[in-house]
Amino acid sequence: MSDERLNASIRMEALAPQLADAAAAWAVRLGLPQGGEAQFALQLGEAGLQLVELGPQAPGPVRVDFVEGAVAHRRLFGGGSGQMIAKAVGVQPGVRPRVLDATAGLGRDAFVLASLGCAVTLIERQPLIAALLEDGLARALADREVGPIAAQMRLMTGNAIELMTGWQGEPPQVIYLDPMFPHRDKSALVKKEMRLFRPFVGDDLDAPALLAAALALASHRVVVKRPRKAPVIDGPKPGFALEGKSSRYDIYPKKTLGKG
Ligand SMILES: C[S@@+](CC[C@H](N)C(=O)[O-])C[C@H]1O[C@@H](n2cnc3c(N)ncnc32)[C@H](O)[C@@H]1O
């Protein structure tokens, strides 16, 4: 893979013979070998793309699934526009801001915002994670119930700092950032996905530059999600913060969000 931050070996696998051609196409796109020794595998199965650590002690695979599972559950039972993330981006009666999620990851936060009615552009720079996201979005689009939500989500692959700096057209009203925070906590609380992704993503040490680019582009506000007790990102100070049980949303207001 061409990402210089990658410090893990990974190969592409098809989980069924009829998927061999499609898996080979992903391998070419992502520059992955299709055999040989590896610590991780990107697997293509009937249920889509998944990333898995290989070896007997490894946790199970991770894929993006907006149709079933935890994300779908949160859509149905997660508290709607009363959720803190909704308040943080400025969702109010009659107000559904256009959001750029510049650190898309597995797209969970973006999906919550899209399911509340926001049009969301997603940017992810890690090509493997972007591939999982692209695959999850394609499957969601084909679903009768979730399809209209996925249709509100547009994925861009690349470095958000560069993409925001060279942005063409109407700027997003709200830019949402959730960069990887350097965790010292090795407990079981660190989620399976985070453990799996750490070798691929690392710590997002360029978060201050990301914040600066977001503040230059957003028309109305920038929102940064942090662990509750983490320091703010270096740079201009947030105007205010919303605190939840484990997360905090630092809000950098530029202009009041209103109807119309
Ligand atoms: C903590 S995860 C985000 C999780 C996401 N909010 C979710 O709900 O699934 C951070 C992600 O941001 C991505 N990222 C960090 N800095 C970035 C940048 N400058 N451009 C694009 N993606 C970036 C990382 O590759 C990683 O996948």
Side-chain angles (χ1 to χ4, degrees):
M1 288 196 33
S2 56
D3 188 337
E4 74 270 5
R5 301 178 335 141
L6 185 65
N7 52 16
S9 57
I10 173 155
R11 67 177 183 229
M12 183 75 215
E13 292 177 357
L15 293 180
Q18 68 275 19
L19 298 170
D21 287 350
W26 276 112
V28 170
R29 247 183 87 180
L30 296 169
L32 299 178
Q34 288 190 266
E37 286 291 305
Q39 294 162 274
F40 296 87
L42 185 66
Q43 301 174 325
L44 182 62
E46 296 294 355
L49 268 190
Q50 58 185 28
L51 181 64
V52 65
E53 189 175 340
L54 300 168
Q57 304 294 326
V62 168
R63 62 195 185 98
V64 171
D65 189 355
F66 295 126
V67 181
E68 288 172 354
V71 173
H73 187 269
R74 182 168 172 191
R75 177 174 70 87
L76 297 172
F77 307 108
S81 52
Q83 295 174 77
M84 200 167 289
I85 186 174
K87 296 199 177 115
V89 301
V91 167
Q92 309 154 41
V95 179
R96 294 293 184 270
R98 276 178 294 104
V99 180
L100 169 62
D101 178 347
T103 56
L106 293 177
R108 281 165 300 205
D109 290 334
F111 184 78
V112 169
L113 296 174
S115 62
L116 293 173
C118 298
V120 186
T121 301
L122 298 81
I123 304 180
E124 174 53 52
R125 70 170 155 196
Q126 197 341 297
L128 283 173
I129 298 179
L132 293 175
L133 202 43
E134 181 183 319
D135 173 70
L137 279 171
R139 278 180 287 111
L141 269 178
D143 183 79
R144 200 171 49 86
E145 224 175 292
V146 174
I149 300 172
Q152 301 240 75
M153 299 166 74
R154 187 170 66 103
L155 174 64
M156 299 167 83
T157 302
N159 187 330
I161 300 172
E162 289 159 20
L163 291 169
M164 288 192 287
T165 307
W167 194 265
Q168 301 288 327
E170 214 180 343
Q173 291 176 298
V174 175
I175 300 181
Y176 179 80
L177 306 175
D178 175 19
M180 208 64 128
F181 182 73
H183 279 280
R184 276 158 212 94
D185 178 7
K186 295 215 171 60
S187 76
L189 288 174
V190 179
K191 287 203 191 97
K192 175 174 89 176
E193 292 102 60
M194 286 299 128
R195 288 214 317 271
L196 188 64
F197 285 145
R198 201 154 278 280
F200 301 101
V201 172
D203 296 325
D204 291 324
L205 299 175
D206 51 0
L210 189 65
L211 174 61
L215 284 169
L217 177 64
S219 60
H220 287 69
R221 70 169 66 169
V222 175
V223 177
V224 180
K225 183 179 181 184
R226 304 291 278 165
R228 191 167 68 91
K229 294 199 174 137
V232 298
I233 293 182
D234 282 346
K237 299 286 163 258
F240 60 101
L242 298 175
E243 242 182 55
K245 256 191 275 169
S246 58
S247 307
R248 189 184 76 229
Y249 296 92
D250 291 338
I251 294 156
Y252 301 75
K254 289 182 76 172
K255 200 159 125 186
T256 306
L257 281 157
K259 293 177 199 174

